Amino acid sequence: MVKIIVFALVSSVAVPSIAQGVEELDRRNGFKDIKMTSAISSYEGLEFKKEVSHDIFIGAKMYVPKKEHYERIGNLKIHDLQVMTYKDSIYEIRVVTEKDPNLYKGFKKAFGEPSYSYGSKNYYWTTDNLTLSYGSHSKSKIEMIYFSHLMVKRVKEEKKQVVEDIVNDF
């Protein structure tokens, strides 16, 4: 009996976790080579599609991939990719792809166990800098959304500065 307990304790301590954790989400900082808060002009594979309405990011713009750019994640087909910008800096990336359990397993391996939102019915990983949510888009597709908290902070600072400028101009 003692041998079983000792074996259980040793094996639970000796086996390291394979998951890297949400620090890896910060390190990657986006989808493929598209990095959060970076300048949209850095990506020749993306083109302007339209202006979009957003409560926080007034004057936001949507970019989509040009033909033959951002078509796959490994062997999974990307059905839709939208990159949202505010003042030419990326604040959100939306990716719709085929459902595949290996994609979710890959996220868990890279970022650790996700949290679950009962309201949105999505899994998510979050850091101080960004959130990645993962959930159903339709019966055969899933959607991943990368959202930058740093861009929200930037907008708040801009609004503070506008008020300071008004106060200083009295």
Side-chain angles (χ1 to χ4, degrees):
M1 181 68 170
V2 173
K3 287 182 183 180
I4 294 172
I5 294 171
V6 170
F7 176 76
L9 288 173
V10 170
S11 64
S12 67
V13 172
V15 178
S17 174
I18 296 172
Q20 295 181 29
V22 291
E23 302 81 23
E24 181 66 11
L25 182 60
D26 269 343
R27 188 188 71 72
R28 292 185 186 198
N29 192 34
F31 174 72
K32 292 190 171 254
D33 68 332
I34 305 170
K35 302 302 177 195
M36 304 303 285
T37 73
S38 65
I40 193 68
S41 58
S42 304
Y43 306 99
E44 68 179 46
L46 297 171
E47 63 187 359
F48 174 75
K49 182 172 184 179
K50 65 180 181 177
E51 289 192 16
V52 292
S53 176
H54 195 281
D55 293 341
I56 297 171
F57 302 107
I58 309 302
K61 295 178 181 177
M62 177 195 299
Y63 289 78
V64 295
K66 293 178 181 177
K67 189 139 181 90
E68 298 183 13
H69 288 85
Y70 305 105
E71 294 181 330
R72 300 196 153 297
I73 303 170
N75 63 348
L76 297 177
K77 183 179 190 309
I78 295 175
H79 295 281
D80 192 21
L81 172 68
Q82 300 173 349
V83 179
M84 309 301 187
T85 66
Y86 170 73
K87 294 187 177 179
D88 296 323
S89 293
I90 298 170
Y91 72 85
E92 184 177 275
I93 304 167
R94 291 177 172 265
V95 183
V96 176
T97 189
E98 305 168 31
K99 278 190 180 175
D100 185 330
N102 291 322
L103 186 59
Y104 179 71
K105 287 176 188 175
F107 281 140
K108 281 179 62 175
K109 183 177 180 182
F111 309 135
E113 283 294 323
S115 299
Y116 184 76
S117 169
Y118 290 97
S120 66
K121 297 181 180 165
N122 286 334
Y123 291 96
Y124 66 95
W125 296 264
T126 193
T127 70
D128 289 341
N129 298 329
L130 65 115
T131 295
L132 167 60
S133 66
Y134 173 96
S136 182
H137 182 264
S138 68
K139 281 188 174 187
S140 62
K141 298 176 186 169
I142 60 99
E143 180 176 47
M144 300 169 284
I145 302 171
Y146 297 80
F147 184 81
S148 173
H149 302 297
L150 293 177
M151 287 296 293
V152 173
K153 289 176 188 173
R154 186 181 298 175
V155 169
K156 286 181 181 178
E157 288 300 317
E158 285 178 3
K159 289 180 179 180
K160 269 189 201 175
Q161 188 59 46
V162 167
V163 171
E164 287 298 317
D165 290 347
I166 291 171
V167 168
N168 291 336
D169 202 29
F170 282 15

